[in-house]
Amino acid sequence: MTENSSTSNDHKPAVGKIPANVRVMIALVASPTLLVIAFSIYCLWIGNWQEPGVSGVIFSALGIFAYYVVIVGRLPKWFHFKRQK
């Protein structure tokens, strides 16, 4: 085999993937939002649905977005984040 030929076990890094250590840090920083999300869900089904308030809804939405990034490993396509070279 020559140096320029490709083999089946060559692997290219995924384009746009966030490194694992950054994903772990995002998950650790966003972990308090799990309590707010749980509180919001509890209030929707069991308690008073108006109790979480606007700040609770915004904080829950940010937490859901953070955990989406952690699980998927990249930013959504609509985010259009571009690095400067």
Side-chain angles (χ1 to χ4, degrees), residues 6-83:
S6 63
T7 60
S8 62
N9 59 356
D10 284 345
H11 102 39
K12 297 177 184 176
V15 178
K17 283 283 197 176
I18 297 173
N21 58 344
V22 175
R23 291 166 58 185
V24 168
M25 290 305 297
I26 292 171
L28 289 174
V29 169
S31 61
T33 61
L34 294 175
L35 294 172
V36 177
I37 293 169
F39 174 70
S40 298
I41 292 171
Y42 173 78
C43 287
L44 282 174
W45 278 318
I46 307 298
N48 183 7
W49 64 272
Q50 294 175 337
E51 195 171 344
V54 175
S55 61
V57 172
I58 292 171
F59 200 59
S60 296
L62 289 174
I64 291 169
F65 177 74
Y67 275 102
Y68 169 81
V69 170
V70 167
I71 292 169
V72 173
R74 61 178 172 75
L75 292 171
K77 296 206 183 293
W78 54 264
F79 201 72
H80 296 295
F81 178 76
K82 294 183 181 181
R83 286 191 232 177

